[in-house]
Amino acid sequence: MPGRLALVVPKFPRASETFIVSKFMGLLERGWDVHVVCDGSERSAWDHFPNLRQVPDIRRRVHRTWPHLPHWKAALMAPAALLECLFAAPGASASYLARGGKRFGADVLRRLYLDAALVALNPNLIHFEFGTLGAERMHLSQLLDAPIVVSFRGFDLNYVGLDEPGYYDAVWRDASALHFLGEDLWQRAQRRGCPPAKPHFLIPPAIDTDFFERKEPRAVDRGGSLRILSVGRLEWKKGYEDALVAVQLLGARGIPCEYRIVGDGSFLGAVAFARHQLGLEDVVTFLGETDRSVVREEMLRADVFLHAAVSEGFCNAVLEAQSMGLPVVCTDADGLGENVESGVTGFVVSRRSPAALADALARLASDPDRRRRMGEAGRRRVASRFRLEDQISAFDALYRSVLEKGSKAETHRDAGEVRELGEGGGRQ
Amino acid sequence: MARTRPLRLLVVGTSWPPQTFLGRLMRGLAASGIDVSLAFSQEPDQEWFFQSGLRAFRTWSWEGSRILRLVRLAWLSLRAFLRSPRDFWRFLRQSRAEPTLTAKLRTLNRLVPFAGVRYDVLYFPWNSVAIDYLPLFDCGMPVLVSCRGSQVNVAPHHPGRGVRKGLPATFARAARIHCISQAIEREAERFGLDRSKARVIHPGIDPGFFSPSDSRDTSPMLRIITVGSLVWVKGTTYALQSLRLLLDRGIPARLTLVGDGPERQRILYTIEDLGIREHVEIAGRLPPLDVRDRLQQSDVFILPSLSEGFCNAAIEAMGCGVPVVMTDCGGVLEGLTHGVEGFVVPLRDPEAMADAVATLARDPGLRVRMGRAGQARIARDFTLDRHVRDFVTLLEEVRACRVA
């Protein structure tokens, strides 16, 4: 059964998107002919993934799309791209041109150039790993005759294309199956026009529970200040301003705390300004972007993990924190309510509510024993539900079912045609 | 006598078209007999300049094909050298201090048009721009720089940026520093501004333009408006949260957002997430006339800013007789007294803002009283005429600073 899969992502590999790399390796082990199609690949990012480098034919499996800007460069490259398609996959290229010509006219040539990497690969199944990537390329299902799976991971459903009605209509119509990180995103998709009968799979993210495990003994509680940690890019959707207000409220209640933030991003100016304005210069430390061993170190020394997001697909950092035995205080944004079991592995409070975050932090601050219990429950939860193995199996099953259905649909179509002919014949 | 000769002013660092408030100030200065030239890197719109009584001073941005850029720079450099070898040498030295070749060329390209140019006063409406033109401070023209906000309020707290290197230098070398509020003056002092050089002139508006409409529609729904770019510093999402709270309390209300910016997606998401799509209109960036019309048809103006130099948008609303609810930041309290022309509420507190708006929603009489008080305050303290007059005085003062 395993066939050729094309996973489409913006950049590969990427330090902040470890899950794609894990998935790529996992599927490869299970015998799939996995390929990645990306817009670019940065040398420095490869250093984060030594295992990936060791895959024997890795160069053959990572494909870069042809540059689409500047236009003159694209025009220069176009003949080469066309030739590559014709040599690598003459059949697919011919069918792309024939069907595309009918649908798009002369524009098919421009599209072929943009899709060249996928056409040349001629996969059995295409998986757009983010909804935004799929939105404008659903024509491939018809032109390449390959089933398409589209993943929705949060931002793509939450705010991309909100002011363009029907932004995802082609995806709802032409995708063979959809993948969501959790129930909440599936609900959101339906609110944005996805028919409830659409085949969909809820597969939560998974993390490396062996790496994120507390092997060292837990530090003895010194009765000092509460050590709060956040890990996540500095973007508005992560709600850092609310987190800072919560930390300030905590201080105002006489609960000493320190707050460390791992991550970098365009919102640094706003977050740093909030730190200044709230008078938290001595309490809050920005650690910038770090690799995962530093993240692990920080998790070892922290008492609580805080995640104040207003929009969040599922959040791997929260999984990692639970895996490290940290109690989590987070908002109910998207999948976070499915990620953390409120009252058991942490507290889930309503988003945009610094006071509620502060309450939850205060409860944990006064109760080290509860912190330990919640941390242990978190470790158990992640180890039993968010294992990488299970995630790979789920994707394996997803692809199998889509490919199976695809071939069944074909036989149906054939059977239908035969029946029609037969009826026609009967009438004569 | 030399003094009777009109003051020749060169203004550097306005965009095209100039921001509305700057355009008004420049036209006002021209009407008061000052000979105003605006430096522009675009082909100037002759019609606009003719109508406003201003002159254009041509500069060139570092754009176009590489060859064109280099040929133009060579020509400009030759011209600069012939006009004033000393200036040219000064500019060359500054450019050579830049780290990369592109930066060197870009800096030289920015400076050379000013070689040998002498005006009575050189004015930078934005401190951030003045930093890029530091060598002009040594050309013998007294310099006036405006301090309007984010450069001293916000930027220095960014860990990656900090206080821009040139900021204290502009404070030290300018003849006078104009601050748009006392709050800004206080902030700037932390970065080396000498109080004896600072002059506070609050912004002003034309009460003939920003005035209540004769034909005001009535509406059963409270019409709330906010005007400002969609950037994080304006705190627009707090306005959306306040609206949600008002609706939850059963107050029928509708919010219009005037302005556009990089946070549009955040705003759209927040609107969806709070379920208030039917109650919010994103009007986008509008010309002044449309802004005025919208203000005239509003019941309350709100602005949940996190930082402000002054409350420019609010004084336009006050001129239109609209009560104002603003957060307590920067120079807001210099333009608005809590409980008189509107309410001043704590920062980052949508609940408090909703309370204030709810008070106004319940009491139409209060809205009228506060609206009138706002108009009276504008007429007393914040007219464009007063603003222009104070600026003329300041410019004369700066001219007198000229080193003999």
Side-chain angles (χ1 to χ4, degrees):
Chain A
M1 170 57 113
R4 181 175 286 183
L5 298 178
L7 311 181
V8 186
V9 295
K11 287 241 166 73
F12 183 86
R14 220 182 211 181
S16 62
E17 285 166 8
T18 322
F19 57 93
I20 303 281
V21 177
S22 320
K23 185 180 155 188
F24 172 82
M25 310 269 286
L27 289 168
L28 212 54
E29 270 168 35
R30 296 191 183 213
W32 291 89
D33 181 16
V34 196
H35 294 257
V36 172
V37 176
C38 58
D39 289 337
S41 180
E42 276 158 29
R43 194 165 296 171
S44 61
W46 285 86
D47 299 339
H48 292 279
F49 305 100
N51 296 350
L52 189 63
R53 274 224 175 101
Q54 264 138 47
V55 173
D57 47 356
I58 185 70
R59 286 189 174 279
R60 199 177 57 79
R61 296 195 174 274
V62 178
H63 309 259
R64 293 181 58 170
T65 52
W66 296 83
H68 39 93
L69 282 175
H71 290 298
W72 60 265
K73 202 169 181 182
L76 272 176
M77 298 289 203
L82 188 67
L83 277 178
E84 192 204 3
C85 289
L86 287 172
F87 275 113
S93 309
S95 99
Y96 187 102
L97 286 171
R99 294 178 193 175
K102 263 185 229 152
R103 188 161 159 185
F104 300 114
D107 194 41
V108 69
L109 287 173
R110 186 182 65 87
R111 284 179 187 266
L112 177 62
Y113 175 74
L114 296 177
D115 292 334
L118 277 166
V119 176
L121 193 57
N122 195 20
N124 299 101
L125 187 148
I126 301 172
H127 187 160
F128 291 106
E129 295 283 357
F130 296 90
T132 43
L133 298 173
E136 279 164 15
R137 302 179 78 185
M138 294 312 293
H139 57 273
L140 283 168
S141 70
Q142 185 209 355
L143 270 48
L144 283 185
D145 216 358
I148 291 184
V149 178
V150 181
S151 282
F152 287 91
R153 298 182 182 274
F155 75 95
D156 36 19
L157 269 184
N158 281 352
Y159 48 85
V160 173
L162 272 184
D163 47 0
E164 289 173 51
Y167 186 80
Y168 283 124
D169 281 359
V171 176
W172 308 149
R173 193 183 58 231
D174 295 336
S176 299
L178 303 174
H179 159 232
F180 300 94
L181 293 182
E183 176 64 26
D184 191 276
L185 284 170
W186 165 233
Q187 296 298 333
R188 237 178 235 276
Q190 291 175 67
R191 287 203 292 279
R192 288 192 71 174
C194 181
K198 190 81 194 166
H200 65 282
F201 294 76
L202 306 184
I203 305 177
I207 56 156
D208 185 345
T209 47
D210 296 332
F211 182 82
F212 286 103
E213 185 182 6
R214 190 184 286 269
K215 290 154 193 136
E216 301 80 348
R218 197 175 287 267
V220 195
D221 188 62
R222 291 166 286 117
S225 53
L226 186 73
R227 288 162 303 190
I228 307 168
L229 174 70
S230 285
V231 178
R233 274 167 300 139
L234 299 179
E235 286 175 6
W236 63 261
K237 63 174 192 157
K238 302 282 183 185
Y240 281 114
E241 287 169 298
D242 291 341
L244 291 176
V245 174
V247 165
Q248 190 207 29
L249 289 172
L250 216 56
R253 291 187 200 172
I255 301 170
C257 59
E258 58 172 90
Y259 181 28
R260 293 162 75 82
I261 299 175
V262 175
D264 202 354
S266 56
F267 214 51
L268 176 61
V271 184
F273 178 75
R275 175 176 76 162
H276 157 76
Q277 195 167 48
L278 298 167
L280 296 173
E281 274 102 339
D282 300 333
V283 179
V284 180
T285 314
F286 299 118
L287 298 169
E289 198 173 327
T290 68
D291 59 32
R292 63 180 199 159
S293 59
V294 178
V295 169
R296 190 176 176 281
E297 284 300 311
E298 289 296 326
M299 286 180 172
L300 271 179
R301 69 183 292 278
D303 296 316
V304 186
F305 191 86
L306 174 62
H307 195 61
V310 293
S311 158
E312 180 64 78
F314 204 86
C315 195
N316 289 17
V318 166
L319 282 178
E320 289 161 4
Q322 290 178 95
S323 184
M324 287 290 290
L326 272 182
V328 175
V329 171
C330 67
T331 63
D332 57 357
D334 302 341
L336 285 173
E338 299 159 56
N339 188 328
V340 173
E341 193 176 355
S342 194
V344 179
T345 71
F347 293 109
V348 179
V349 304
S350 47
R351 50 195 182 276
R352 299 190 192 87
S353 174
L357 290 171
D359 285 343
L361 288 170
R363 282 171 77 178
L364 287 170
S366 61
D367 193 347
D369 199 44
R370 180 183 228 155
R371 293 208 295 269
R372 192 185 45 76
R373 280 201 313 273
M374 285 189 151
E376 283 162 6
R379 171 69 196 172
R380 281 196 299 276
R381 180 176 168 80
V382 174
S384 65
R385 289 181 169 222
F386 302 103
R387 284 175 42 214
L388 206 52
E389 273 306 291
D390 299 343
Q391 191 209 32
I392 304 295
S393 304
F395 277 113
D396 184 79
L398 188 167
Y399 296 142
R400 280 171 195 274
S401 97
V402 168
L403 287 175
E404 216 163 89
K405 219 181 274 167
S407 49
K408 251 186 224 155
E410 251 162 55
T411 26
H412 273 304
R413 207 186 304 149
D414 294 349
E417 275 162 19
V418 170
R419 202 179 58 234
E420 265 176 39
L421 274 177
E423 280 170 8
R427 237 177 273 142
Q428 274 175 355
Chain B
M1 248 180 55
R3 277 295 126 111
T4 51
R5 182 172 63 78
L7 188 148
R8 291 177 66 239
L9 174 70
L10 176 61
V11 183
V12 180
T14 48
S15 56
W16 179 262
Q19 291 85 352
T20 318
F21 69 92
L22 275 180
R24 278 190 216 125
L25 170 63
M26 295 309 148
R27 282 194 295 266
L29 291 176
S32 317
I34 288 183
D35 185 354
V36 186
S37 303
L38 300 186
F40 276 112
S41 55
Q42 291 92 339
E43 188 60 45
D45 176 348
Q46 299 296 349
E47 179 84 2
W48 188 89
F49 277 93
F50 181 73
Q51 280 178 359
S52 23
L54 307 174
R55 292 175 206 269
F57 179 95
R58 187 79 161 91
T59 62
W60 279 267
S61 57
W62 192 238
E63 278 164 12
S65 78
R66 206 166 297 178
I67 298 169
L68 177 73
R69 271 186 268 172
L70 287 173
V71 170
R72 195 173 52 208
L73 179 57
W75 154 245
L76 289 174
S77 299
L78 178 69
R79 201 183 63 172
F81 180 75
L82 294 175
R83 276 184 186 167
S84 166
R86 258 182 79 185
D87 282 0
F88 180 68
W89 178 241
R90 195 175 280 134
F91 298 157
L92 203 60
R93 220 171 37 210
Q94 172 78 17
S95 312
R96 284 177 57 186
E98 297 291 334
T100 65
L101 181 64
T102 322
K104 287 183 216 287
L105 294 175
R106 186 191 290 271
T107 307
L108 192 62
N109 184 71
R110 183 166 60 225
L111 293 171
V112 279
F114 296 94
V117 167
R118 294 295 179 267
Y119 283 78
D120 294 322
V121 175
L122 182 59
Y123 173 46
F124 294 99
W126 306 96
N127 206 328
S128 47
V129 178
I131 295 171
D132 293 334
Y133 288 91
L134 274 177
L136 294 190
F137 285 58
D138 302 326
C139 291
M141 292 180 273
V143 180
L144 173 66
V145 179
S146 281
C147 237
R148 299 184 180 273
S150 68
Q151 200 66 31
V152 296
N153 271 353
V154 181
H157 306 293
H158 192 297
R161 272 172 226 148
V163 186
R164 269 191 75 182
K165 240 200 278 157
L167 190 66
T170 60
F171 289 156
R173 288 150 84 176
R176 291 287 180 273
I177 300 285
H178 157 234
C179 299
I180 65 161
S181 65
Q182 274 127 28
I184 285 294
E185 184 191 3
R186 280 193 301 275
E187 284 289 319
E189 275 180 57
R190 297 173 40 184
F191 306 112
L193 173 61
D194 173 2
R195 179 160 281 225
S196 65
K197 273 189 186 177
R199 296 290 178 271
V200 174
I201 301 178
H202 288 126
I205 56 164
D206 177 3
F209 182 77
F210 287 104
S211 58
S213 152
D214 303 328
S215 58
R216 237 180 92 81
D217 308 333
T218 51
S219 157
M221 201 177 262
L222 188 75
R223 292 159 304 183
I224 311 171
I225 189 167
T226 178
V227 182
S229 319
L230 304 183
V231 291
W232 65 264
V233 83
K234 296 287 176 191
T236 318
T237 49
Y238 293 108
L240 300 173
Q241 282 176 262
S242 298
L243 176 65
R244 178 72 262 173
L245 291 167
L246 287 168
L247 295 169
D248 290 345
R249 293 183 199 174
I251 297 170
R254 189 180 159 71
L255 173 66
T256 303
L257 306 176
V258 179
D260 205 346
E263 292 233 309
R264 195 182 158 79
Q265 251 184 1
R266 180 187 189 187
I267 306 298
L268 286 172
Y269 168 71
T270 311
I271 290 170
E272 282 296 315
D273 199 38
L274 293 170
I276 50 176
R277 201 190 322 170
E278 281 76 41
H279 303 272
V280 182
E281 181 203 1
I282 303 183
R285 223 191 116 122
L286 296 177
L289 196 65
D290 293 351
V291 175
R292 197 237 358 229
D293 290 349
R294 299 233 177 200
L295 284 171
Q296 286 176 338
Q297 300 304 328
S298 300
D299 299 311
V300 184
F301 174 91
I302 65 174
L303 193 58
S305 285
L306 304 177
S307 172
E308 285 282 334
F310 187 64
C311 45
N312 297 33
I315 59 174
E316 296 181 354
M318 284 156 70
C320 295
V322 180
V324 171
V325 178
M326 267 205 79
T327 40
D328 180 11
C329 60
V332 167
L333 279 169
E334 293 166 40
L336 167 68
T337 309
H338 179 67
V340 179
E341 302 93 357
F343 295 106
V344 179
V345 297
L347 286 160
R348 302 175 197 274
D349 193 345
E351 197 96 30
M353 180 161 266
D355 287 344
V357 177
T359 308
L360 287 164
R362 278 192 295 267
D363 191 347
L366 181 66
R367 297 208 292 269
V368 173
R369 282 198 302 283
M370 286 190 153
R372 287 206 185 116
Q375 252 183 291
R377 181 76 190 268
I378 297 297
R380 200 182 73 209
D381 296 336
F382 304 116
T383 61
L384 183 62
D385 287 347
R386 193 260 331 151
H387 183 64
V388 171
R389 236 181 4 252
D390 289 353
F391 238 89
V392 172
T393 315
L394 176 57
L395 289 169
E396 289 295 351
E397 192 185 330
V398 175
R399 163 150 85 169
C401 291
R402 174 166 221 156
V403 205

